[in-house]
Amino acid sequence: MQQSLSSKRLLQQKIGFAVLGTAAGIVLVSVAILLFFIVRRGLPIMSWEFLSQPPKRGMTEGGFYPALVGTFLLGVGAMLFSLPIGVMTAIYLSEFASAGRFTKAIRTGVNTLAGLPSIVFGLFGFAFFCKVLRFGVSVLSGALTLGVMALPIVIVTTEEALRAVPTSFREASLSLGATRWRTTVKVVLPNAVSGIVTGAILSMGRAVGETAPIIFTAATFYTRRLPKTPLDEVMALPFHIYGLVTEGVFPEKQLPIAYGSALTLVMLVLILSGAGIYLRYRTRRKRIW
Amino acid sequence: MAKYSIGAIASVSLLMLLAITVMLFANALPFFGEYSLADFLFGNRWHPTQEPPNFGLLPLLWGSLIVTVVAMLFALPLGISSALFLHGVAPTKLREILKPIIELLGSVPSVVYGLFGLTLLAPFFQRLLSLPVGQTAFVAGVALALMSLPIVVSVAEDALDSVPKEYGSASLALGATRWETLMRVVFPSARSGIWAAVLLALGRTIGETMTVLMVAGGAAQIAFTPFKPVRTMTAAIAAEMGETPQGTLHFHALFGVGVVLFLLTFIINLIANKYATKSFK
Amino acid sequence: MVEKECCCVGSEETGCVEAVQFNLCYGDNHVIKNVSLKFPRETITAIMGPSGCGKSTFFRAINRMNDLIPSVKTQGEILFDGENVYSNKADIYKLRRRIGMVFQRPNPFPMSILDNVAYGLRIHRLAKGSELEDRVVEAIKSVNLWDEVGDRLKANAMELSGGQQQRLCIARALAVEPEVILLDEPTSALDPVSSAKIEEQLAEFIGKYTTIIVTHNVAQAARVAQYSAFMMLGKIIDFGPTKEVFTNPKNELTERYLSGKFG
């Protein structure tokens, strides 16, 4: 009787594992289908011309070079804003902060920023950077908006890296008479570089793929020229895709271009995030102390 | 000295949050000067360009709600089951490969899910269910489910992973099977982390813009079936902001919608973070 | 040397554990080397030895807790009531019910006190409803925890002190009526007072359960165990009634260990 109870329980386990496995399988298959279609529809149109030419004939022909450049500028711009401020904030939280109200407020602020919808950043960027600060619809406004949005990613990733540096390193430096700031710069930061690079890459990956924050702040559907100053508006890949499928007059010609752009965007984001995630796992695993 | 200058820079995120709040409220305020709050919150018609215009939030709120419910109905069971599979069934090697891949997929931009939903999912479900229109709340929900799966799986797996291994050993030593250990000990022990995953995904889904803008169909209506087009709060802002002259009532009304969205996600995330920090030492 | 003979094959007696030329490897690492040992029935046997000598591994081999590590290979037999626990026919779930285990650090589940003790009864479907509660109460009483927690069985077990948690873990193991109890340094994470209570508890096991305790603490072994085994580098180098082993060790290494020369 006992034997049969155990086999009953083992059968239950088999069924249970099968159900969980099926769920995981469904998830993997649907993701695979998504990627498969993006690649299959996007790949045929990929060519050097596609990447290097501006769009032609009302975006039914030609490439998306300006969108690529615009996305690059927005991504780099966002990082230029979020990286220094994010790293400094992380340094403060991990090295200087005492468990006071101010620290708690900053943490709550960072958590809240991380959870806000991207469209809210768009509204804010439009009202603040475009209007109040008079930057207009421009690369600058867009990059700053994306930068604010990416701030939490840099902070969280950097703080994780800083906290992983053992306290004994700091104590050794402090006991030799170094100040906290010198200890941070000379001892803690060098040991956390890969974590900071990870944060930078991940935040750029996030900024590059976002659409909603740049709709009103930076992006334009169609321009043949590249921005000459930070106050010019730009094309951007994600917005380009959106425009092609929703505003188009010749969908049969524009859809392939949209898929080509989507494939490029996915590749770009996956490479950036892939590098970031790889670095993070590597540093987590290969820590020598 | 250094402490205070760095502290000043650290407060930038706080200042930005403050600026966001001020900007949203300041721009929404003119709207509430002219339009009653009750009519906004409980109005069941969103006709911003009619004469006189109607700015009832309910259709948009309903749109966000129904899309989110559909998305969660798919994403939560699938996502949590997958996390359980990765944690308790899959061999370590497989888990070490799949976990980063899933995290990576979380970074696929929402506009790509929108494109996928619009050109493939919508026609597919339209034919399958023989619907008059392809772009519906249901399809948007499916696309959003796909998009939020990586978050659910990855955060839920982290939660399961943070359960001390000793609990599992104790259960196995009592003669429990791996299934019983997973479902009766590890899963309940990870409760608060799983809740955090659920709430994070919920917040993300309610706030998601591009996918619903492209896939949900855009009709601001209260339909008690997911197989009709809807317009969410996010989609309304994204679609209407560009076509609205600044300073008009409609312009400020959209900031009012932004305020609602802000408060909603703020509360959800506050609860999520409470759960997230309640995990094990 | 009066050894209680253990000959369960074909007899009515239960709770017999015997290793027969047992070997265990982690990959290429030969951890347990040809161990043969009969644990006397319904008495307490202490396994001692320096860290890394394989005592914990050997002990976990008895209820097959090493199965969880993928690279483990075994050779030889461990007989429980005359049957090899490593045979293909062995039912490890039933086996682990009959061989209870208590860990080094108290590890109650983060559930109520009642659910903790009821866990084994429920998964093995041994009791339901009021009978379940009766058996939970009985188990809690048997570890003298009733006076302390009897009025709050629904409280979370994590709220208990370390010593109470460990006694709860013992109650959890006893509730499913095992014949053998394995204790892995059960007091090493506890304060002296709590340790003393656990030791009192162990004294009550004599005559009921075949108890095997791994310990670092030589004095504890001398206090609680009727039999003692010494392990070195994966081999049992000394085994016998505790008094004999302590006063007249057969092996020089045992003597040196007992006098604190290494450990």
Side-chain angles (χ1 to χ4, degrees):
Chain A
M1 231 207 85
Q2 277 288 331
Q3 181 68 43
S4 79
L5 175 61
S6 289
S7 45
K8 218 199 261 170
R9 289 166 60 206
L10 276 172
L11 181 68
Q12 184 191 41
Q13 160 161 300
K14 223 175 226 171
I15 296 168
F17 282 1
V19 169
L20 296 185
T22 312
I26 292 173
V27 171
L28 283 179
V29 167
S30 32
V31 167
I33 290 174
L34 170 84
L35 293 180
F36 172 77
F37 271 101
I38 301 288
V39 171
R40 212 190 69 170
R41 298 213 170 173
L43 209 53
I45 199 171
M46 289 302 232
S47 65
W48 179 243
E49 278 68 39
F50 188 59
L51 293 168
S52 63
Q53 297 289 316
K56 289 175 200 151
R57 293 174 204 264
M59 298 206 282
T60 56
E61 287 173 28
F64 57 37
Y65 178 62
L68 203 58
V69 172
T71 286
F72 176 75
L73 289 175
L74 287 170
V76 170
M79 202 178 70
L80 285 179
F81 173 82
S82 61
L83 192 63
I85 296 178
V87 169
M88 285 306 223
T89 308
I91 289 176
Y92 179 80
L93 286 175
S94 137
E95 307 299 315
F96 290 90
S98 37
R101 235 183 242 172
F102 181 58
T103 314
K104 215 177 158 195
I106 292 181
R107 279 195 194 286
T108 313
V110 173
N111 282 339
T112 310
L113 276 186
L116 283 187
S118 50
I119 191 77
V120 168
F121 286 99
L123 281 178
F124 160 70
F126 177 66
F128 189 64
F129 297 122
C130 300
K131 295 297 150 200
V132 175
L133 299 182
R134 294 170 190 280
F135 294 155
V137 177
S138 64
V139 180
L140 185 61
S141 297
L144 287 171
T145 309
L146 291 170
V148 175
M149 197 191 68
L151 209 46
I153 302 175
V154 181
I155 295 172
V156 170
T157 319
T158 307
E159 205 195 336
E160 186 193 341
L162 294 176
R163 288 198 180 273
V165 178
T167 322
S168 57
F169 286 23
R170 296 181 182 89
E171 282 166 351
S173 168
L174 290 171
S175 70
L176 289 169
T179 60
R180 226 171 220 288
W181 175 244
R182 257 193 101 65
T183 303
T184 305
V185 174
K186 294 275 172 190
V187 179
V188 182
L189 279 184
N191 283 303
V193 166
S194 67
I196 295 166
V197 174
T198 308
I201 296 174
L202 285 179
S203 70
M204 199 163 144
R206 174 88 197 273
V208 159
E210 277 293 344
T211 320
I214 57 168
I215 299 181
F216 334 121
T217 57
T220 179
F221 274 133
Y222 179 63
T223 174
R224 286 184 59 100
R225 46 183 210 106
L226 300 175
K228 291 207 171 57
T229 75
L231 293 176
D232 285 342
E233 52 182 21
V234 284
M235 287 180 74
L237 266 183
F239 193 53
H240 186 58
I241 297 167
Y242 170 64
L244 283 169
V245 293
T246 53
E247 308 272 311
V249 198
F250 303 103
E252 70 283 358
K253 283 188 178 168
Q254 291 177 331
L255 214 52
I257 303 181
Y259 268 100
S261 310
L263 178 59
T264 314
L265 183 63
V266 169
M267 297 286 282
L268 203 63
V269 171
L270 288 190
I271 288 169
L272 282 174
S273 302
I277 291 170
Y278 172 74
L279 265 176
R280 185 159 69 194
Y281 272 82
R282 210 191 59 172
T283 35
R284 271 183 198 165
R285 203 172 302 154
K286 290 207 176 150
R287 202 147 270 149
I288 31 169
W289 55 74
Chain B
M1 237 14 256
K3 175 169 177 165
Y4 294 103
S5 33
I6 299 172
I9 301 175
S11 58
V12 167
S13 356
L14 205 55
L15 289 176
M16 283 299 155
L17 182 62
L18 199 70
I20 291 173
T21 319
V22 169
M23 282 296 129
L24 287 182
F25 277 91
N27 279 290
L29 216 56
F31 170 70
F32 294 111
E34 290 184 42
Y35 203 85
S36 101
L37 184 63
D39 285 349
F40 173 66
L41 287 180
F42 306 112
N44 57 10
R45 278 187 300 168
W46 179 265
H47 296 310
T49 51
Q50 264 179 6
E51 241 355 282
N54 280 307
F55 297 107
L57 183 69
L58 285 184
L60 305 183
L61 204 59
W62 175 255
S64 292
L65 185 76
I66 193 163
V67 169
T68 305
V69 166
V70 172
M72 292 295 107
L73 280 180
F74 283 101
L76 295 184
L78 281 176
I80 294 173
S81 301
S82 302
L84 284 167
F85 176 82
L86 279 186
H87 184 80
V89 189
T92 322
K93 278 246 171 71
L94 186 66
R95 171 165 50 148
E96 276 174 4
I97 298 168
L98 286 182
K99 189 83 194 296
I101 289 180
I102 287 168
E103 277 175 40
L104 188 58
L105 288 168
S107 65
V108 171
S110 57
V111 71
V112 174
Y113 288 95
L115 178 65
F116 181 71
L118 183 66
T119 58
L120 284 157
L121 290 181
F124 173 75
F125 281 108
Q126 185 178 8
R127 232 171 300 141
L128 187 75
L129 307 166
S130 45
L131 300 170
V133 279
Q135 286 148 271
T136 57
F138 180 79
V139 176
V142 172
L144 284 184
L146 208 54
M147 201 183 77
S148 55
L149 272 171
I151 312 168
V152 179
V153 177
S154 137
V155 181
E157 209 277 329
D158 285 343
L160 293 169
D161 206 45
S162 76
V163 174
K165 305 281 168 284
E166 289 82 24
Y167 298 170
S169 319
S171 168
L172 292 170
L174 277 165
T177 60
R178 276 166 61 213
W179 167 253
E180 287 158 347
T181 304
L182 183 66
M183 299 311 285
R184 287 171 174 239
V185 176
V186 181
F187 187 40
S189 303
R191 237 182 343 234
S192 61
I194 305 262
W195 273 114
V198 170
L199 288 166
L200 278 177
L202 189 71
R204 239 356 131 77
T205 311
I206 291 180
E208 174 39 44
T209 309
M210 295 318 290
T211 312
V212 283
L213 183 59
M214 294 164 80
V215 184
Q221 59 176 341
I222 302 181
F224 294 97
T225 154
F227 299 108
K228 288 215 167 137
V230 291
R231 171 162 289 202
T232 65
M233 294 186 285
T234 52
I237 298 172
E240 293 166 26
M241 198 69 184
E243 300 156 4
T244 312
Q246 272 173 59
T248 58
L249 197 60
H250 187 190
F251 176 85
H252 293 300
L254 290 175
F255 273 92
V257 177
V259 168
V260 173
L261 205 54
F262 174 87
L263 292 176
L264 208 60
T265 46
F266 179 72
I267 293 166
I268 292 174
N269 282 295
L270 218 58
I271 305 172
N273 285 316
K274 266 244 156 65
Y275 275 117
T277 48
K278 238 176 70 181
S279 54
F280 303 93
K281 277 163 253 154
Chain C
M1 183 166 103
V2 201
E3 198 174 308
K4 241 188 184 175
E5 261 310 305
C6 180
C7 42
C8 295
V9 191
S11 85
E12 291 292 301
E13 295 182 332
T14 58
C16 304
V17 178
E18 179 181 2
V20 182
Q21 297 186 331
F22 185 71
N23 289 277
L24 188 146
C25 305
Y26 291 134
D28 295 333
N29 193 4
H30 197 169
V31 188
I32 308 292
K33 294 168 188 158
N34 223 23
V35 166
S36 291
L37 182 65
K38 240 182 222 178
F39 290 95
R41 279 190 70 232
E42 295 180 357
T43 57
I44 300 179
T45 305
I47 307 179
M48 285 174 282
S51 308
C53 68
K55 58 186 189 297
S56 279
T57 305
F58 172 52
F59 164 94
R60 281 162 172 266
I62 297 170
N63 65 345
R64 288 188 54 179
M65 284 297 279
N66 289 324
D67 286 18
L68 304 174
I69 305 156
S71 61
V72 163
K73 272 184 261 135
T74 61
Q75 212 183 49
E77 296 181 326
I78 290 186
L79 300 175
F80 176 51
D81 287 357
E83 293 194 29
N84 184 10
V85 302
Y86 283 93
S87 95
N88 291 332
K89 283 184 292 174
D91 176 347
I92 58 167
Y93 307 108
K94 194 175 155 194
L95 174 81
R96 289 178 186 157
R97 180 189 71 69
R98 296 174 62 197
I99 304 182
M101 189 171 193
V102 176
F103 293 77
Q104 198 168 348
R105 303 183 64 83
N107 57 355
F109 303 129
M111 337 167 165
S112 73
I113 294 169
L114 187 131
D115 286 340
N116 261 282
V117 182
Y119 182 79
L121 294 168
R122 285 189 177 129
I123 55 170
H124 292 288
R125 306 184 200 168
L126 294 173
K128 268 189 211 171
S130 64
E131 195 202 339
L132 179 89
E133 263 181 58
D134 291 346
R135 288 182 66 170
V136 168
V137 170
E138 192 188 320
I140 292 177
K141 280 183 177 159
S142 74
V143 295
N144 301 317
L145 203 56
W146 182 254
D147 295 338
E148 291 155 71
V149 305
D151 54 343
R152 48 179 175 137
L153 292 182
K154 293 267 153 66
N156 196 308
M158 307 309 268
E159 292 164 17
L160 300 178
S161 74
Q164 288 173 328
Q165 288 188 4
Q166 192 63 306
R167 276 185 286 151
L168 181 70
C169 291
I170 296 175
R172 183 174 64 186
L174 296 183
V176 292
E177 298 181 335
E179 293 137 48
V180 177
I181 311 257
L182 308 174
L183 301 117
D184 188 0
E185 302 188 39
T187 61
S188 66
L190 303 179
D191 62 275
V193 177
S194 305
S195 301
K197 282 190 184 162
I198 304 271
E199 285 183 17
E200 278 169 37
Q201 190 63 52
L202 293 182
E204 292 175 22
F205 285 4
I206 300 167
K208 286 188 204 154
Y209 309 106
T210 304
T211 307
I212 305 169
I213 176 169
V214 162
T215 181
H216 248 80
N217 184 339
V218 175
Q220 182 175 59
R223 281 194 301 269
V224 303
Q226 293 140 291
Y227 290 86
S228 289
F230 273 94
M231 254 184 119
M232 275 287 287
L233 299 169
K235 288 179 181 158
I236 299 277
I237 57 165
D238 222 329
F239 174 67
T242 303
K243 259 188 205 141
E244 216 164 288
V245 171
F246 273 65
T247 52
N248 189 16
K250 283 175 239 160
N251 198 307
E252 191 202 344
L253 288 167
T254 314
E255 196 176 347
R256 285 175 59 194
Y257 181 84
L258 287 171
S259 55
K261 297 262 167 56
F262 66 94

